[in-house]
Amino acid sequence: FITNFSMEIDGRVYVGVVKEKEKAKKEYETAVKAGQTAALVKASGRKMEKFSVSVNIAALTNVTFTLTHEELLQRKRGQYEILTRVQPKQRVQEFKIVTNIYEPQGISQVDVHSTFLSNELLPLVEKTVTDTKAHISFSPTLEQQRSCPDCEGTLINGDFIVKYDVKREKDLGDIQIINGYFVHYFAPSKLRPVPMNVVFVIDTSGSMYGRKIAQTREAMLEILQDLQEQDHFGIITFDHQIMPWQPTMQQATNQTVEEAKRFIRTISDNGGTTNINDAVLKAVEMIHTARRSEKLPQRSADTIILLTDGMPNSGESDTAIIQKNVEKANNRNMSLYCLGFGNDVQYSFLDVMAQENKGFARRIFEDSDAAIQLQDFYEEVSSPLLLEVDLKYPVNTVDFLTTNHFNHLFNGAEIIVAGRLMDASIDNFPVEVFGVGVRIGNVQGQASVLDWGVMYPDEEYIFGDFTERLWAYLTIQQLLDKSGLEKENSKAKALEMSLKYNFVTPLTSMVVTKPESDDPPLVADKLTEGTLKSYICSLFEILDGDPHFLIELPDREDALCFNINNKPGTIFTLVKDQESGILVNGQIIGDKAIPPGGQINTYFSRFGIVHKALGVKLEVSTQDISVFQDSKWVSLLWSGTASLKGPNLDLLLTKDRSLTVTLKDSVKFVILLHKVWEKHPYNRDYLGFYTLDSHLFFIHIYSALLSSGQFYHSIEFEVSDMRPGESPEKPDATMFVKGHQLNVTRGWQRDFRNNIKNGVKIPCWFIHNNATGLIDGEANDYIVSGLFKTF
């Protein structure tokens, strides 16, 4: 799925926004008519695997386009494949392909090959493999790309392919859990294949003339050689007539395989039209007859493989009726795989017909390796390990599962199920696998859970919250596959999720336009890693969790922390400066119910931020973010990622995690979103507030809760008389501060900036009684009546 498409013009980056398909199209067309630079990214088919990008570049403009996508690699024939198809048509000044693989289970193999790697280019491929990581790079110079010493053409034309697999020690697979969502990968390695009953249905009409029928013969000879003696098979060739090789299914003995090969060598295009309906129905009848006469093994897989390159134009030619006929005759008893040969085939018809009959369609490209493509496909589906596979999880542990029933699992393939945990703190749970076809029984075991953030702290940008995105992607894909009465409801839900997760799907498109103004009020902009690091390193104030307040004192390598307790709904003024007009107010929220122990805990749920001099106002809640600038309100959702830049305000929103705000020449701060399991009996989502880049903030601002200046410089205090407290690990002490003698406790606050789930403990001196004696006046003095009111 596409997660970002952006364009950089004169150092400013404009980021694409996902919208409903027609709205995005109209916005793009309006920009094009006005001669503006714009781009539109849309899914080009019924599914999400293919995309088209349309761009319009204004005159005398240089634009850099950046496209980012995420892909679920499908395991086939025992390995994953990363394919990069490159056809630059000319030599490229800076050409580079880099692949980094991170696999905590361990990497078992890595292979690299390409259709264009000559003996001269092969040494340029660099490959480094360790136990859990691999690095592959290929970067030929301009001269090395040259197709011949005196040619301007390029050697780079074709596919660059990386194949790899991981170590698999657990038959129940591996589960990855991040932020309350899990993904289960199931690929058992110790099961014996199920016998195969297959009928090959081969188009020999006039359109198969020449190369296509020759490649089909070549592929079929190899496929027949791969049949096992336990398998049964049949062959049907067709044009406007239906011509079975034998009237019944044949066991794959040496004799029958050799006879079938002799028949295959004789097939050729017959110049006729294409009767797909009767050919497939004949294959269904052949398997049904063999089943009724008990000639096939009871536990075996029934399969039809259709190869055609054209439109049905003989016999029944209405594709919808053909689909209904096949579905009715088959009654989902056997799997139908449809191979569409060449560019003229009506692929969508084959795709739907295959899906309605427990199979899938595959396009065979009319290249020099078409015969290999056919053989690879058969190898992929020829060794079923399990039939009618069910993966079951505890009903009181997981919900919102993606599909967990599969018609079959093939040798070398992988089943993937994603879901949401009812309790985000769960790190393991039992899994049951049921299947027909081998004596697997009801296997139950403890699935292992991998904490990728711990194993690869430097690669958090890769892993992040990918489990939730993958769950959403699979769910959308399955909603789009619904038919009948469910279709409209499923379509509406798929659209809602596509917009929420910012995915380009068949229902949405991503549009990016450059506003006419050279200095737009709010446009997307880059925030570099270095900038973010400078934010983090400048931490000064924390409002988060319990206790709510923490004041770090770097010069003393210590900290003070305290709560301001009050009823849920109370709004406090946290920061106020009359001169610049900066105001920060925060509203607290309580638990849903009184937890055991009888005390309601409170947290910050909303912040109101005002900078009057800059004309900026922000309201941040656990649901959304509203920004007011230049007399306009802009709304953002936590469920998306965005980067916005205005004359006086920069925002960086990281999906369901953090909002970084930079106010021009004054202050930078981060607001963290703490998401809680929505069915938790007590807790709610809440916010944390972290003030950053203090050298800008200290000049004019003072804290509302502390006397002028002291909050941001140094608080003089002394601690003595350490003594046991109520808890052995939290001693009490006496603190002398601002002329007061206070009873304090050594405790800690959690800093969640780098670990949103667990946080990092920061030791601090906890001030009791609503920080009386530390803050000026009483806590009630700081209560206000509205989120943007002053006290």
Side-chain angles (χ1 to χ4, degrees):
F1 45 85
I2 302 291
T3 53
N4 173 65
F5 187 79
S6 57
M7 55 188 185
E8 182 174 350
I9 307 172
D10 299 328
R12 177 167 283 171
V13 177
Y14 303 84
V15 178
V17 177
V18 171
K19 298 184 177 182
E20 191 273 329
K21 201 163 193 173
E22 286 304 312
K23 291 181 181 178
K25 181 181 178 183
K26 288 178 181 178
E27 185 173 328
Y28 172 71
E29 290 174 346
T30 300
V32 170
K33 288 177 181 177
Q36 299 174 6
T37 298
L40 182 72
V41 183
K42 63 180 181 179
S44 59
R46 194 176 66 85
K47 292 194 172 184
M48 292 191 277
E49 287 90 6
K50 286 193 171 185
F51 302 88
S52 64
V53 180
S54 305
V55 296
N56 184 74
I57 302 177
L60 305 176
T61 304
N62 288 325
V63 184
T64 299
F65 294 99
T66 302
L67 176 72
T68 304
H69 85 278
E70 297 180 56
E71 178 182 356
L72 173 61
L73 296 181
Q74 301 289 337
R75 187 171 185 258
K76 300 173 185 176
R77 303 189 303 279
Q79 56 193 350
Y80 301 98
E81 179 181 283
I82 306 167
L83 183 148
T84 307
R85 178 159 290 173
V86 283
Q87 296 174 317
K89 307 290 186 179
Q90 62 185 19
R91 293 184 297 147
V92 179
Q93 182 70 38
E94 183 180 351
F95 183 94
K96 185 180 293 186
I97 297 175
V98 177
T99 304
N100 290 306
I101 301 172
Y102 304 91
E103 287 288 355
Q105 291 174 251
I107 298 172
S108 63
Q109 63 180 48
V110 179
D111 296 311
V112 184
H113 68 277
S114 171
T115 57
F116 56 77
L117 281 181
S118 62
N119 291 334
E120 291 75 22
L121 292 179
L122 191 59
L124 301 180
V125 178
E126 298 180 0
K127 184 174 76 170
T128 305
V129 182
T130 63
D131 184 41
T132 58
K133 296 184 181 182
H135 173 82
I136 299 102
S137 66
F138 173 65
S139 182
T141 64
L142 264 176
E143 194 60 32
Q144 290 167 333
Q145 296 171 44
R146 198 185 294 273
S147 56
C148 67
D150 298 321
C151 301
E152 288 302 315
T154 177
L155 285 168
I156 311 299
N157 184 8
D159 297 340
F160 187 88
I161 302 167
V162 177
K163 294 184 178 181
Y164 78 95
D165 198 21
V166 300
K167 297 176 181 177
R168 300 177 188 278
E169 299 175 356
K170 310 172 188 69
D171 276 344
L172 283 174
D174 286 277
I175 290 180
Q176 295 158 0
I177 296 178
I178 298 176
N179 295 337
Y181 289 82
F182 78 89
V183 181
H184 181 197
Y185 304 89
F186 176 63
S189 58
K190 300 175 183 178
L191 299 178
R192 295 181 61 185
V194 177
M196 184 91 158
N197 312 312
V198 57
V199 178
F200 300 97
V201 184
I202 302 171
D203 187 349
T204 57
S205 62
S207 57
M208 289 288 288
Y209 171 78
R211 191 179 186 186
K212 292 180 184 177
I213 199 69
Q215 291 174 324
T216 300
R217 285 195 301 265
E218 179 186 348
M220 281 301 302
L221 291 172
E222 295 295 329
I223 288 171
L224 290 171
Q225 190 63 44
D226 289 339
L227 289 172
Q228 304 296 311
E229 191 165 352
Q230 62 181 349
D231 298 334
H232 289 70
F233 73 105
I235 301 172
I236 297 173
T237 61
F238 72 97
D239 44 28
H240 57 283
Q241 296 181 318
I242 312 304
M243 296 161 282
W245 162 60
Q246 297 288 346
T248 60
M249 300 287 289
Q250 303 292 306
Q251 186 173 355
T253 63
N254 290 337
Q255 180 180 345
T256 56
V257 169
E258 287 303 316
E259 291 174 359
K261 285 182 179 180
R262 286 195 291 271
F263 171 75
I264 289 295
R265 292 187 183 101
T266 67
I267 67 171
S268 62
D269 62 284
N270 296 324
T273 51
T274 307
N275 187 347
I276 292 177
N277 183 78
D278 291 351
V280 177
L281 292 181
K282 181 62 177 177
V284 172
E285 179 192 347
M286 188 179 289
I287 293 179
H288 277 324
T289 300
R291 278 286 178 197
R292 285 194 295 267
S293 60
E294 298 183 350
K295 290 184 177 180
L296 305 178
Q298 184 177 359
R299 286 199 302 268
S300 56
D302 297 335
T303 302
I304 298 171
I305 297 178
L306 167 66
L307 171 64
T308 182
D309 76 332
M311 291 277 292
N313 55 13
S314 177
E316 180 58 66
S317 58
D318 187 317
T319 56
I321 293 177
I322 295 173
Q323 289 165 349
K324 290 180 180 178
N325 290 343
V326 173
E327 185 178 15
K328 182 179 180 181
N330 179 22
N331 196 25
R332 293 188 65 83
N333 287 320
M334 57 196 75
S335 298
L336 170 63
Y337 300 100
C338 298
L339 302 182
F341 207 137
N343 298 320
D344 298 330
V345 68
Q346 191 173 0
Y347 184 74
S348 59
F349 153 62
L350 298 178
D351 187 25
V352 171
M353 187 165 65
Q355 287 200 45
E356 289 175 344
N357 292 277
K358 303 201 313 186
F360 54 82
R362 185 70 54 79
R363 197 184 286 276
I364 301 298
F365 295 97
E366 203 172 342
D367 296 330
S368 60
D369 67 342
I372 297 175
Q373 295 177 52
L374 289 168
Q375 294 168 44
D376 287 348
F377 166 80
Y378 182 74
E379 184 182 343
E380 182 183 337
V381 301
S382 63
S383 297
L385 299 179
L386 287 174
L387 305 177
E388 305 303 330
V389 189
D390 286 292
L391 287 83
K392 296 190 176 181
Y393 310 87
V395 293
N396 60 345
T397 301
V398 303
D399 60 3
F400 293 100
L401 279 176
T402 59
T403 297
N404 62 329
H405 173 83
F406 299 84
N407 298 316
H408 28 55
L409 170 65
F410 296 109
N411 188 28
E414 183 175 60
I415 283 176
I416 298 175
V417 179
R420 193 176 68 179
L421 295 174
M422 294 181 179
D423 182 351
S425 65
I426 291 175
D427 61 2
N428 63 76
F429 47 83
V431 178
E432 292 182 289
V433 180
F434 299 82
V436 176
V438 295
R439 293 184 180 135
I440 188 172
N442 300 342
V443 180
Q444 180 172 341
Q446 208 70 16
S448 68
V449 177
L450 305 170
D451 190 340
W452 287 34
V454 172
M455 299 187 73
Y456 297 110
D458 297 334
E459 282 76 45
E460 184 180 357
Y461 73 98
I462 295 176
F463 304 124
D465 58 355
F466 86 94
T467 51
E468 183 179 356
R469 296 197 309 279
L470 179 53
W471 165 80
Y473 169 76
L474 292 174
T475 300
I476 291 171
Q477 209 171 38
Q478 289 159 15
L479 287 170
L480 292 175
D481 286 338
K482 299 284 187 183
S483 60
L485 296 175
E486 296 180 279
K487 188 170 184 179
E488 284 307 310
N489 289 337
S490 298
K491 184 178 178 181
K493 181 62 177 176
L495 175 60
E496 177 189 339
M497 292 185 67
S498 301
L499 295 172
K500 176 181 178 180
Y501 287 95
N502 214 48
F503 290 167
V504 178
T505 71
L507 306 176
T508 60
S509 294
M510 181 177 286
V511 63
V512 52
T513 59
K514 180 183 183 298
E516 294 183 42
S517 169
D518 289 335
D519 191 19
L522 279 175
V523 298
D525 196 15
K526 283 183 178 177
L527 285 175
T528 65
E529 184 181 0
T531 309
L532 291 175
K533 285 182 178 177
S534 72
Y535 291 0
I536 292 170
C537 293
S538 303
L539 172 71
F540 192 79
E541 176 191 18
I542 298 176
L543 311 174
D544 205 345
D546 190 6
H548 301 328
F549 299 86
L550 182 136
I551 308 166
E552 285 193 315
L553 305 170
D555 56 333
R556 295 189 59 147
E557 297 184 351
D558 211 339
L560 306 179
C561 52
F562 56 94
N563 276 337
I564 300 292
N565 294 313
N566 214 298
K567 295 179 181 179
T570 303
I571 301 173
F572 293 101
T573 292
L574 308 173
V575 176
K576 180 183 177 185
D577 177 36
Q578 299 284 9
E579 183 176 341
S580 68
I582 290 183
L583 175 74
V584 179
N585 287 344
Q587 184 175 30
I588 58 175
I589 191 173
D591 286 330
K592 298 175 187 175
I594 300 177
Q599 181 178 351
I600 289 280
N601 295 311
T602 57
Y603 319 88
F604 283 104
S605 65
R606 287 203 302 162
F607 290 112
I609 299 106
V610 177
H611 195 307
K612 287 187 177 180
L614 299 179
V616 172
K617 182 183 290 187
L618 281 89
E619 180 176 344
V620 183
S621 74
T622 54
Q623 284 78 43
D624 52 27
I625 299 117
S626 296
V627 185
F628 181 80
Q629 182 171 282
D630 293 340
S631 303
K632 295 180 181 178
W633 280 101
V634 176
S635 295
L636 302 172
L637 296 176
W638 282 104
S639 57
T641 294
S643 175
L644 300 177
K645 181 180 176 63
N648 300 316
L649 171 73
D650 289 1
L651 295 180
L652 175 65
L653 174 63
T654 301
K655 179 179 176 296
D656 284 337
R657 184 182 177 94
S658 64
L659 174 71
T660 302
V661 181
T662 305
L663 297 175
K664 183 181 179 182
D665 298 328
S666 56
V667 63
K668 297 176 183 177
F669 54 86
V670 168
I671 295 175
L672 296 184
L673 173 64
H674 296 275
K675 292 184 73 66
V676 176
W677 175 46
E678 66 181 4
K679 296 182 181 179
H680 195 286
Y682 309 115
N683 300 153
R684 302 177 189 266
D685 294 352
Y686 67 97
L687 301 174
F689 184 101
Y690 295 73
T691 304
L692 310 175
D693 226 14
S694 56
H695 70 281
L696 295 177
F697 206 29
F698 293 170
I699 299 173
H700 300 296
I701 310 300
Y702 66 87
S703 167
L705 291 175
L706 296 177
S707 58
S708 176
Q710 289 184 343
F711 190 66
Y712 295 101
H713 293 283
S714 179
I715 298 176
E716 297 298 328
F717 65 90
E718 297 294 336
V719 176
S720 62
D721 188 23
M722 291 278 289
R723 54 193 181 273
E726 292 184 10
S727 176
E729 68 274 13
K730 296 181 179 180
D732 286 344
T734 300
M735 175 179 289
F736 298 91
V737 59
K738 297 173 65 174
H740 300 285
Q741 179 176 320
L742 308 178
N743 182 51
V744 297
T745 301
R746 194 60 170 174
W748 53 77
Q749 162 69 301
R750 289 186 182 271
D751 176 357
F752 292 95
R753 286 166 299 172
N754 296 322
N755 187 336
I756 192 69
K757 183 178 180 180
N758 299 314
V760 176
K761 288 185 178 181
I762 297 177
C764 63
W765 291 107
F766 182 79
I767 317 296
H768 300 276
N769 302 320
N770 290 335
T772 301
L774 179 67
I775 64 173
D776 293 334
E778 302 292 332
N780 288 342
D781 297 340
Y782 300 92
I783 296 176
V784 291
S785 59
L787 202 61
F788 297 104
K789 298 286 187 179
T790 60
F791 63 89

